[in-house]
Amino acid sequence: MTDNKEHIVNLTTEGDDIVDPWTVASNSDSGINYDKLIERFGSSRIDDTIIKRIEKITGKPAHHFIRRGIFFSHRELDTILTLKEQGKPFYLYTGRGPSSESLHLGHLIPFIMTKYLQEAFDVPLVIQMSDDEKTIWKDLKVEESITLAHENAKDIIAMGFNPEKTFIFNDLNFMGQCPAFYQNVVRMQKCVTFNQVKGIFGFVESDLVGKIAFPVVQAAPALSSTFPFIFGDQKVHCLVPCAIDQDPYFRMCRDVAPRLGFPKCALIHSIFFPALQGARSKMSASDENSAIFLTDNPDTIKSKINKYAFSGGRSTVEEHRKLGGIPEIDVAFQLLYFFLDDDEKLKRIHADYSKGYMLTGEIKKIAIETVTPIVECHQAVRKQISDEVLKSYMEIRPLKFEGGLAV
């Protein structure tokens, strides 16, 4: 049965948060109202029942991204968990639109979750580098977008994905290498009208035709037949970890897939990672002070957090001691919320800051000490990712997994 809630058009009224694949904006220092977003998009919250099932299946505590509600919403994650309980296969699909040479911390969030899911459930993974999208939307030549895709892919590889179970592809090359990809794009294009993509994505008649056609390109990898060298003729379920602004692509895909004889893809959605200037601002590759980039050195990280991280503290020390800080809008605390593994330490920091025992400078210091080693470790691994390593991940080949093709 079709879930009619999935076809809600992304209309907003004055004062609403704006969330679509290209724009995320909030009028509140605390950021997007995710309860309203779930209602508007028609997804489901990841509740305790889902979390307990994940922990029972994996035999381990759920990732702190799930426990803390960083990944907070889903579509048919329960179906994926049932498949795993039954010993049936599924695969992961996520991606990156390469628009700059370096990723920032926010870009890591879906990949950290994807890596956890790959390891916890022992499943294959495909990663799309949508360099075609960035060529169309940005002032980039085709050749420049391909180069950025390859450089960004090296950052992704540096996170430690299993090479035997991970395939990375960039659209501008893969479309010509694998006929099945373009064939599925065309199949899906025959099922989607301009009025539908206009309603979902807000396109207008003056938009480039490439923009109107692109959503199907991002949706096609959620059909397992796009990768016959991995899945053969199996119709395998797909789970897509992504930020919730990418959900419109897959609402469209979920409508089309059954008409083509494929299962609907499942999704697990993350909240948005804040810009250093706070939830009202947006991280931008063109504004180096809006985010911590993976190329930043320790002095730069320290300077950025101390100088630009939006504070939830009060205007004076006396007032802060009396009223306490507001962790929910404090960017240094949000960095800890995303990257500090220790739940008990995070709770203590939250309580001490809220009660005024801890000052803004102290919480920024802890954030610097938490984030800097993560960036330094990534840089060290990234230096080891050669063109040959990149080529091995992008080679069209079978992947090793239970139920996979014979190698």
Side-chain angles (χ1 to χ4, degrees), residues 27 29-30 51-52 113-114 123 148 171 201 237 320 335 351 398:
N27 293 314
D29 286 336
S30 58
I51 294 173
K52 288 177 181 177
M113 174 51 54
T114 301
V123 290
L148 292 178
D171 290 342
F201 300 98
H237 281 74
H320 186 89
L335 288 171

Side-chain angles (χ1 to χ4, degrees), residues 7 9 188-203 252 255-256 259:
H7 303 288
V9 177
M188 298 185 84
Q189 285 175 338
K190 289 185 67 176
C191 296
V192 182
T193 67
F194 172 69
N195 280 338
Q196 286 174 310
V197 293
K198 179 181 177 181
I200 296 170
F201 300 98
F203 293 136
M252 179 192 69
D255 179 60
V256 171
R259 295 155 64 185

Side-chain angles (χ1 to χ4, degrees), residues 57-74:
I57 292 169
T58 63
K60 299 177 182 179
H63 194 280
H64 73 266
F65 280 5
I66 296 175
R67 300 196 309 269
R68 295 176 188 172
I70 292 170
F71 275 80
F72 72 105
S73 167
H74 75 97

Side-chain angles (χ1 to χ4, degrees), residues 116-163:
Y116 159 77
L117 292 170
Q118 183 184 51
E119 293 175 349
F121 294 108
D122 191 23
V123 290
L125 162 66
V126 296
I127 299 175
Q128 179 188 56
M129 309 301 294
S130 55
D131 46 5
D132 51 344
E133 175 197 14
K134 294 308 177 183
T135 300
I136 295 166
W137 261 270
K138 304 288 185 180
D139 185 21
L140 292 170
K141 296 178 180 179
V142 165
E143 294 79 11
E144 292 171 330
S145 291
I146 292 173
T147 297
L148 292 178
H150 289 176
E151 291 305 307
N152 283 192
K154 290 180 179 179
D155 274 317
I156 294 167
I157 292 169
M159 299 184 67
F161 289 104
N162 186 332

Side-chain angles (χ1 to χ4, degrees), residues 17 22 24 28 94 102 112 114 127 134 144 156 159 189 192 200 206 232 236 253 290 305 334:
D17 297 327
W22 307 283
V24 176
S28 169
T94 194
S102 174
I112 292 171
T114 301
I127 299 175
K134 294 308 177 183
E144 292 171 330
I156 294 167
M159 299 184 67
Q189 285 175 338
V192 182
I200 296 170
S206 60
V236 183
C253 181
S290 67
I305 292 176
Q334 294 306 310

Side-chain angles (χ1 to χ4, degrees), residues 209-223:
V209 67
K211 291 184 178 182
I212 297 163
F214 173 74
V216 171
V217 178
Q218 182 159 318
L223 304 183

